[in-house]
């Protein structure tokens, strides 16, 4: 962002307004003018911390599931985010415990990626059709929701993957270039 | 200690309280503004530019610096809800004041558009409203700063709507598009409803009260939660009683005139809980209409992806949230319901990707699907006017009390036949417009959701059927007024705050006149 450009634009527009000459009913005194506006430096990422609810075995299954739903989820600390959300919610605790036990009973971690997908992809298709009744379906629905939420609120997901550009100081709102492409 | 008796005591410091306080102070009237929360500094006290990943649970807390006040529906804090509003600022149209005459449903206003027009203009000149001169009968033009340009997505919707003969216009907002009044212009960061960190968006403190503090005519009584409006044997209110927000210590300020401007339902609750021998059912409630005629706006909604933008490069187009508006178009058309609806759209902030979870698939294909749709995601939100019915009202819970000992408020909402006809029409037509614009529909909301609160102690000419006159002066008590959504006898489909402020400006002028005549 260019603070100087903003400053220059600002002086220019004051002149334009003066020419229109709309009467100011409540003028501020000079000493009440605001200082030059700056946005803070790019923000830090908070660490959701180590898992407190899931056991190490449960956590590795969860991590694998999130990674298969959204590749890059573990790098974005999505499993840690999920642990933080789940640990305070009894309903979620049961949903995850049941779902992860079910996967553990299939030795999920030791399966090949192809075999893992053969378990999860049909489940995903059912959930996409709106079938959320069985324990496995409920688990997948909630896990997908939280994986998507966690990933797209992380810096890797929101900024690096999607390319979020907002939160900037713009001197002017950019005109749409829709018809130029 | 000898107690000062103020000319006017105002409960609440939002758009209504702030407008009245500033206008009265400018005329030399001595006012006390009683605010339930602390001073809020819009430049530093909000998490305006935070990112979700700064917080372990990815939720951005609204406030910083341990400031409370804005996490509840009551929005206690200097400036009230004007600190968080989206700043949409319409004038109501002439039809909106004549609903009963036109449709035979609901109520007429006791005044018409012509009587309110000068006060709309006064507010526009004071606070700065941007917009385009559109020449529409239902959205009268005003004194505007230049509008912000339309977004690409707005232009696509505008073209789609045009195919169906519907007009899409620039939104009008009390947000500065040019520096004015010592406040800078908007910098289009897209966080209007998370507090504006430069006050380019109007709030009642920076826009109305703050510049008038040097007159010495405004006393701020902060952190004071009002619980009672005492009335004396001469049927006059004497001031307000409050408890301190943190210590719960009791206090009182006295005034010749009292104005309740604490927001719609809170004003109604204050009247209902101020019981006395004279008013056993609540202050100014001899009609039994306090709490009745509750008719908040209701919204529908469609979420969609605009196909021409799918897969396109992401741009920084959050702007000041919505830049365009679909005005009501049905007044001259044959239809099976009374009143109308209009639509706000495209006010989503691109930090929020909550829609991703509902896209089908998983793995790399899912990620690509989200990324492709990211620049194209779009929310369309029609707003409808609710008409009154006896099943929609507000009352006080006889048992439950909050931490201040105040009774909890209960809202009863019923969507009557007319409301549902509007709702179905707005859902159908919203879909048509989006499809004409080339949209892939993502989700359609199935139920009306209440929004801007309107009604609960409406104005009217008949004291048996209404609570106040057109100045918000209660029919029962000559020195008690109330301002806000609660006194509107019909809310139109338009965002109401500009109208609240215009009514408040008119009441301020009436009060100045009244005090000059020595009638207090």
């Amino acid at each position: 962002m260019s603070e100087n450009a903003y400053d220059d634009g600002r002086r220019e527009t004051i002149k334009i307004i003066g020419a229109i000459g709309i009467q100011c009913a409540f003028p501020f005194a000079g000493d009440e003018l605001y200082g030059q506006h700056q946005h803070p430096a790019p923000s830090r990422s908070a660490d959701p911390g180590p898992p407190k609810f899931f056991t190490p075995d449960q956590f590795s299954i969860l991590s694998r599931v999130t990674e298969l739903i959204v590749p890059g989820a573990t790098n974005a600390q999505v499993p840690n985010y999920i642990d933080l959300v789940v640990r305070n919610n009894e309903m979620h605790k049961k949903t995850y415990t049941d779902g992860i036990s079910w996967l553990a009973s299939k030795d999920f971690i030791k399966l090949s990626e192809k075999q893992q997908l053969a378990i999860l992809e049909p489940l995903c298709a059912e959930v996409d059709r709106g079938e959320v009744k069985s324990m496995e379906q409920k688990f997948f629905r909630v896990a997908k929701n939280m994986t998507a939420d966690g990933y797209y609120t992380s810096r890797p997901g929101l900024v690096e993957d999607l390319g979020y550009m907002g939160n900037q100081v713009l001197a002017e709102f950019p005109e749409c270039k829709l018809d130029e492409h | 200690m000898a107690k000062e008796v103020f000319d006017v005591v105002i409960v609440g410091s939002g758009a209504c309280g702030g407008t009245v306080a500033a206008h009265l102070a400018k005329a030399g009237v001595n006012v006390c503004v009683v605010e339930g929360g602390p001073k809020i500094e819009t430049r530093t006290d909000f998490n305006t530019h935070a990112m979700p990943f700064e917080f372990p649970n990815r939720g951005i807390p609204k406030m910083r610096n341990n400031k409370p006040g804005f996490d509840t529906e009551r929005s206690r804090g200097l400036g009230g809800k004007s600190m968080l509003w989206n700043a949409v600022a319409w004038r109501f149209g002439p039809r909106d004041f004549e609903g009963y005459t036109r449709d035979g449903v609901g109520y007429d206003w006791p005044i018409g558009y012509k009587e309110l027009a000068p006060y709309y203009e006064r507010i526009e000149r004071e606070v700065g409203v941007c917009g385009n001169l559109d020449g529409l009968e239902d959205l009268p033009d005003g004194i505007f700063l230049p509008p912000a340009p339309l977004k690409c997505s707005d232009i696509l919707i505008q073209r789609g709507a045009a195919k169906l003969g519907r007009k899409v216009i620039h939104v009008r907002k009390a947000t500065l598009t040019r520096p004015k009044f010592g406040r800078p212009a908007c910098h289009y960061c897209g966080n209007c409803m998370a507090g504006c960190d430069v006050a380019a968006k109007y709030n009642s403190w920076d826009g109305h009260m703050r510049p008038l503090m040097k007159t010495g005519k405004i006393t701020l009584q902060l952190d004071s939660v009002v619980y009672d409006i005492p009335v004396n044997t001469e049927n006059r209110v004497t001031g307000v009683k409050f408890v301190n927000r943190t210590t719960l210590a009791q206090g009182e300020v006295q005034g010749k005139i009292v104005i309740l401007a604490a927001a719609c339902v809170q004003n109604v609750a204050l009247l209902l809980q101020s019981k006395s021998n004279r008013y056993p059912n609540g202050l100014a409630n001899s009609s039994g209409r306090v709490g009745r005629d509750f008719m908040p706006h209701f919204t529908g909604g469609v979420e969609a992806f605009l196909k021409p933008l799918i897969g396109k490069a992401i741009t920084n187009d959050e702007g000041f949230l919505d830049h365009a508006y679909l005005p009501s178009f049905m007044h001259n058309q044959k239809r099976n319901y009374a009143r109308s609806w209009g639509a706000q759209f495209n006010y989503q902030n691109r930090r929020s990707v909550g829609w991703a979870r509902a896209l089908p698939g998983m793995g790399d294909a899912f990620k690509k699907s989200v990324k492709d749709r990211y620049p194209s995601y779009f929310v369309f939100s029609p707003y409808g006017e609710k008409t009154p019915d006896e099943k929609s009202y507000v009352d006080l819970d006889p048992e439950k009390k909050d931490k201040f000992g105040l009774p909890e408020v209960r809202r009863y909402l019923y969507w009557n036949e007319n409301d549902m006809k509007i709702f179905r029409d707005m859902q159908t037509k919203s879909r048509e417009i989006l499809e004409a614009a080339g949209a892939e529909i993502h989700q359609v909301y199935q139920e009306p959701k209440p929004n801007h609160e309107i009604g609960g102690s409406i104005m009217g000419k008949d004291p048996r059927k209404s609570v106040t006159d057109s100045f918000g002066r209660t029919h029962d008590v000559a020195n008690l007024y109330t301002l806000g959504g609660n006194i509107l006898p019909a809310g139109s489909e338009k965002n109401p705050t500009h109208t609240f402020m215009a009514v408040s400006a008119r009441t301020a002028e009436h009060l100045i006149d009244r005090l000059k005549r020595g009638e207090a």
Side-chain angles (χ1 to χ4, degrees):
Chain A
M1 68 183 123
S2 165
E3 292 296 338
N4 283 333
Y6 184 64
D7 193 33
D8 293 346
R10 182 182 149 119
R11 285 203 193 97
E12 190 56 37
T13 45
I14 286 171
K15 271 186 261 167
I16 296 165
I17 290 298
I20 296 170
I22 295 173
Q23 193 195 347
C24 175
F26 289 109
F28 280 72
D31 59 356
E32 285 172 321
L33 279 166
Y34 301 113
Q36 181 58 57
H37 180 58
Q38 284 191 338
H39 280 196
S43 40
R44 71 200 153 78
S45 288
D47 187 346
K52 288 184 181 162
F53 171 68
F54 295 111
T55 65
D57 284 350
Q58 287 175 321
F59 195 71
S60 62
I61 292 174
L62 174 69
S63 299
R64 188 66 194 138
V65 170
T66 62
E67 190 66 23
L68 289 168
I69 294 174
V70 176
T74 46
N75 176 49
Q77 289 195 299
V78 169
N80 307 66
Y81 159 77
I82 292 176
D83 184 277
L84 190 142
V85 175
V86 169
R87 74 175 75 129
N88 298 314
N89 183 307
E90 292 308 314
M91 206 176 65
H92 289 328
K93 279 184 191 172
K94 180 165 168 44
T95 305
Y96 277 94
T97 308
D98 290 352
I100 291 171
S101 306
W102 167 67
L103 291 174
S105 75
K106 294 175 178 289
D107 250 348
F108 191 74
I109 283 297
K110 291 186 184 146
L111 300 178
S112 68
E113 177 161 330
K114 206 175 165 188
Q115 289 169 315
Q116 290 172 337
L117 288 172
I119 295 171
L120 294 184
E121 279 181 341
L123 199 52
C124 180
E126 289 161 28
V127 168
D128 286 343
R129 287 197 299 269
E131 293 167 27
V132 191
K133 289 198 180 102
S134 70
M135 175 277 286
E136 296 87 344
Q137 289 166 342
K138 284 180 190 162
F139 163 70
F140 190 85
R141 176 74 267 169
V142 173
K144 182 174 168 182
N145 285 353
M146 288 195 194
T147 303
D149 290 354
Y151 181 70
Y152 291 113
T153 52
S154 72
R155 189 194 293 270
L158 182 59
V159 179
E160 290 155 25
D161 180 2
L162 295 182
Y164 174 76
M165 305 169 72
N167 261 348
Q168 307 256 338
V169 174
L170 302 179
E172 296 289 341
F173 186 77
E175 293 276 350
C176 170
K177 305 274 198 278
L178 199 62
D179 297 323
E180 291 178 19
H181 296 292
Chain B
M1 150 180 128
K3 278 202 173 144
E4 178 171 12
V5 179
F6 291 93
D7 293 327
V8 179
V9 172
I10 303 166
V11 182
S13 64
C16 296
T19 301
V20 176
H23 289 195
L24 292 178
K26 196 155 185 264
V29 177
N30 201 18
V31 304
C32 178
V33 176
V34 184
E35 167 52 54
K39 176 131 190 272
I40 302 289
E41 173 49 65
T42 195
R43 289 155 203 81
T44 52
D45 284 343
F46 292 102
N47 264 318
T48 310
H49 296 290
M51 296 291 278
F53 46 78
E54 290 176 64
F55 307 93
N57 67 359
R58 309 287 168 81
I60 303 174
K62 200 148 268 174
M63 308 302 294
R64 289 194 293 218
N65 308 326
N66 295 318
K67 285 285 168 78
F70 286 92
D71 287 333
T72 70
E73 56 170 33
R74 288 198 179 231
S75 291
R76 291 195 175 104
L78 194 63
K81 283 188 266 197
S82 76
M83 285 288 179
L84 294 171
W85 72 317
N86 183 21
V88 177
W90 309 114
R91 297 180 176 206
F92 282 11
R95 286 189 184 95
D96 295 323
F97 298 84
E98 310 164 348
Y100 178 74
T101 301
R102 297 177 53 80
D103 301 325
V105 177
Y107 306 103
D108 285 341
W109 282 58
I111 52 171
Y113 173 71
K114 281 195 178 123
E115 280 152 293
L116 211 50
Y119 303 96
Y120 279 124
E121 181 173 333
R122 181 160 183 199
I123 295 296
E124 285 153 8
R125 288 185 187 280
E126 279 171 13
V127 310
V129 173
C130 65
N132 192 42
L133 300 175
D134 297 298
L136 299 174
E137 189 184 348
D138 276 314
L139 279 176
D141 291 335
I143 310 296
F144 299 145
L145 291 166
L150 295 182
K151 304 177 184 185
C152 288
S153 41
D154 297 330
I155 291 169
L156 291 169
I157 293 290
Q158 191 175 48
R159 290 174 186 172
K163 288 183 199 163
L164 303 170
R166 321 251 185 264
K167 201 168 172 144
V168 163
I169 63 168
H170 285 270
V171 78
R172 299 173 191 167
K173 286 195 176 184
T175 298
L176 301 179
T177 48
R178 298 289 184 273
K180 204 164 164 54
F181 315 116
R183 290 157 45 206
C186 176
H187 57 264
Y188 303 108
C189 72
N191 298 304
C192 312
M193 292 173 82
C196 176
D197 68 344
V198 295
K201 182 189 75 172
Y202 167 86
N203 70 67
S204 60
W205 170 242
D206 291 288
H208 263 132
M209 287 181 283
R210 189 170 181 258
L212 271 297
M213 293 307 286
K214 58 179 174 278
T215 63
K217 294 291 180 185
I218 300 179
T219 301
L220 297 176
Q221 177 71 41
L222 297 172
D223 294 310
S224 300
V225 178
V226 173
Y227 66 90
D228 189 35
I229 320 292
V231 61
N232 68 13
T233 51
E234 280 94 53
N235 191 27
R236 293 174 62 81
V237 290
T238 54
V240 302
K241 292 184 175 178
F242 54 79
V243 292
N244 182 282
R245 184 172 61 86
T246 44
T247 66
L248 301 183
Q250 295 188 342
E252 187 171 358
V253 283
Q254 297 187 337
K256 297 173 195 163
I257 287 167
V258 173
I259 304 175
L260 306 184
C264 179
V265 165
Q266 291 69 42
N267 288 337
V268 172
L270 263 176
L271 290 173
L272 288 174
Q273 73 199 38
S274 296
K275 290 182 177 152
S276 57
N277 288 336
R278 187 186 286 264
Y279 297 106
N281 300 316
L283 185 58
N285 193 19
S286 68
S287 63
R289 299 310 296 173
V290 176
R292 314 305 300 196
D293 302 309
F294 184 49
M295 41 194 165
H297 284 160
F298 56 89
T299 63
V302 180
E303 290 176 51
F305 303 108
L306 289 168
K307 285 183 206 159
L309 298 178
I310 293 178
K312 287 280 156 60
I314 184 74
T315 53
N316 186 356
D317 66 347
E318 289 176 321
F320 59 27
L321 301 177
D322 44 332
H323 285 207
Y325 184 74
L326 177 91
S328 68
F329 52 80
M330 56 293 288
H331 276 296
N332 296 320
Q333 298 185 352
K334 229 181 145 182
R335 61 193 196 279
N336 66 348
Y337 54 80
R339 308 298 200 268
S340 59
W341 59 271
Q344 276 186 268
F345 50 89
N346 216 359
Y347 50 78
Q348 66 281 347
N349 178 300
R350 296 212 184 278
R351 274 177 309 183
S352 171
V353 197
W355 47 270
R357 45 152 79 177
L359 282 182
M362 59 184 284
D364 286 324
F366 172 76
K367 269 176 84 169
K368 182 173 184 329
S369 174
V370 175
K371 191 173 166 73
D372 283 349
R373 280 163 184 76
Y374 185 55
S376 74
Y377 174 74
F378 190 88
V379 181
F380 196 87
S381 281
Y383 281 66
E385 174 175 356
K386 178 169 170 52
T387 44
D389 56 66
E390 284 304 301
K391 291 185 194 168
S392 299
Y393 60 96
V394 171
D395 73 4
L396 301 179
D397 193 305
E399 311 285 330
K400 288 186 192 150
K401 306 254 195 270
D402 67 13
K403 62 178 172 176
F404 305 112
L406 304 181
E408 288 198 359
V409 182
R410 299 186 295 198
R411 292 163 168 85
Y412 295 87
L413 262 179
Y414 171 74
W415 305 118
N416 61 43
E417 196 186 329
N418 193 68
D419 301 336
M420 286 312 294
K421 281 180 180 166
I422 295 181
F423 179 73
R424 282 191 283 269
D425 189 57
M426 66 196 200
Q427 293 300 78
T428 309
K429 296 221 164 70
S430 298
R431 237 191 133 114
E432 284 171 11
I433 290 165
L434 282 163
E435 280 165 0
E440 171 188 313
I441 305 293
H442 181 53
Q443 293 193 66
V444 180
Y445 303 150
Q446 301 301 326
E447 297 285 331
K449 285 186 199 157
N451 201 281
H452 309 120
E453 293 190 325
I454 310 272
S457 65
I458 63 168
M459 61 166 81
K461 285 179 177 157
D462 185 345
R464 291 165 304 176
K465 291 181 181 166
S466 61
V467 179
T468 81
D469 68 10
S470 66
F471 297 108
R473 181 184 191 166
T474 62
H475 294 307
D476 286 348
V477 183
N479 68 335
L480 176 66
Y481 292 72
T482 175
L483 293 168
N486 52 310
I487 64 172
L488 267 54
S492 137
E493 78 291 344
K494 303 170 184 76
N495 308 54
T497 303
H498 192 12
T499 298
F500 300 165
M501 292 164 77
V503 170
S504 299
R506 182 170 174 270
T507 295
E509 195 176 276
H510 152 88
L511 285 171
I512 291 161
D513 189 44
R514 186 177 162 170
L515 288 160
K516 265 187 200 153
R517 290 198 314 265
E519 181 209 332

